[in-house]
Amino acid sequence: MRILVIAGSTWIKIDQIRILTNRFTGKTGLYVASQLKKKGHSVTLLINNHCIGKISNLKVVSYRFFDELKSKLIKLLGSRQYDAIVHMAAVSDYKVKKTYKGKIASGRKTLNLQLVPTEKLVKKIRSMAKNSLLIQFKLEPKRKKIIDEAYWSLRENRSDFVVANALEDLGLGYKGFLIDKKKNVKPLASKAALVAALDRIIRLKDQKKH
């Protein structure tokens, strides 16, 4: 099966030197892509590999900034059809309304930045890849109500599955929940369990095609 895994965090320019980003490195996405390839799939990894370094044994398309991710995603989806898309990137929800030219001089007593929402790339994926199995990821602050929140996101974005993770679980080992369109929930207690669940639902799609 042809799979596109999207991972890593996006950068948002403040000026030509400074950026806004988040703490996620893309290591889980790299692990998922590597393990799915070991299971026999043809995998393309679209990742911000700044924090990971050189990646071997995988077809990698790299990005750093939000706009780069968007343009490369559009190019990939426009040139090839994927059986499954695993969208687990930590995409910036906001961008700076005005990017400063050059470098903002240091020494200011205050610096006010106006943030505006970024485009929801998962919606772009769904519109361009209508026949692909779309698996999105959703991070919530707490485990309470996480199933309801993630399921609402699945319905809103017309995804096939959503993997929900809670911020309060980070640092305790991997923990997540795989949710389908009927709101069936499968707990995931490790990254290996995550890969196994993804592999299973991707192979089920392949079986249904035949």
Side-chain angles (χ1 to χ4, degrees):
M1 300 286 278
R2 289 187 302 239
I3 303 173
L4 175 62
V5 178
I6 310 164
S9 59
T10 57
W11 293 1
I12 297 293
K13 283 185 180 180
I14 297 175
D15 58 20
Q16 298 306 307
I17 303 298
R18 301 176 178 90
I19 60 171
L20 293 175
T21 188
N22 57 62
R23 59 184 273 193
F24 296 102
T25 64
K27 290 181 180 178
T28 300
L30 174 58
Y31 174 82
V32 167
S34 300
Q35 293 302 308
L36 288 175
K37 184 179 179 183
K38 287 181 180 180
K39 292 182 179 295
H41 300 289
S42 173
V43 180
T44 298
L45 176 61
L46 178 57
I47 191 169
N48 184 340
N49 60 1
H50 176 77
C51 298
I52 295 177
K54 187 176 180 180
I55 301 170
S56 59
N57 302 320
L58 274 173
K59 180 180 178 181
V60 175
V61 179
S62 63
Y63 71 86
R64 291 190 178 183
F65 296 95
F66 175 89
D67 291 337
E68 286 182 312
L69 170 58
K70 179 182 174 181
S71 64
K72 292 187 177 184
L73 179 60
I74 290 172
K75 184 176 180 179
L76 285 171
L77 296 180
S79 62
R80 187 173 189 183
Q81 183 173 345
Y82 294 91
D83 297 298
I85 300 170
V86 183
H87 180 39
M88 52 195 307
V91 181
S92 302
D93 291 317
Y94 298 93
K95 63 182 179 181
V96 179
K97 186 174 183 179
K98 175 188 175 183
T99 300
Y100 290 82
K101 294 181 180 179
K103 177 181 179 291
I104 302 170
S106 58
R108 292 189 179 199
K109 290 184 178 180
T110 61
L111 176 62
N112 296 319
L113 300 175
Q114 185 176 1
L115 303 181
V116 295
T118 56
E119 180 181 355
K120 293 296 184 183
L121 294 185
V122 65
K123 294 182 181 293
K124 174 68 69 175
I125 295 170
R126 181 77 291 170
S127 67
M128 292 190 67
K130 293 181 174 62
N131 297 321
S132 299
L133 184 74
L134 177 54
I135 306 157
Q136 70 165 95
F137 279 60
K138 187 77 168 71
L139 178 68
E140 291 293 326
K142 296 185 178 295
R143 211 177 306 122
K144 185 179 180 180
K145 296 184 179 179
I146 191 172
I147 304 302
D148 291 337
E149 294 292 338
Y151 183 67
W152 180 88
S153 181
L154 178 151
R155 295 288 300 272
E156 173 74 10
N157 298 316
R158 296 186 293 118
S159 302
D160 297 292
F161 291 87
V162 58
V163 177
N165 304 108
L167 183 61
E168 66 180 1
D169 288 329
L170 297 183
L172 302 175
Y174 188 85
K175 183 179 180 63
F177 303 91
L178 177 67
I179 306 161
D180 67 12
K181 288 181 177 180
K182 296 181 179 179
K183 211 176 181 181
N184 296 312
V185 180
K186 179 179 177 57
L188 305 168
S190 66
K191 291 182 181 179
L194 168 64
V195 171
L198 295 178
D199 180 52
R200 181 180 61 82
I201 61 179
I202 290 169
R203 291 185 185 279
L204 282 174
K205 174 182 171 62
D206 186 39
Q207 292 173 9
K208 290 178 181 178
K209 285 199 317 184
H210 299 91

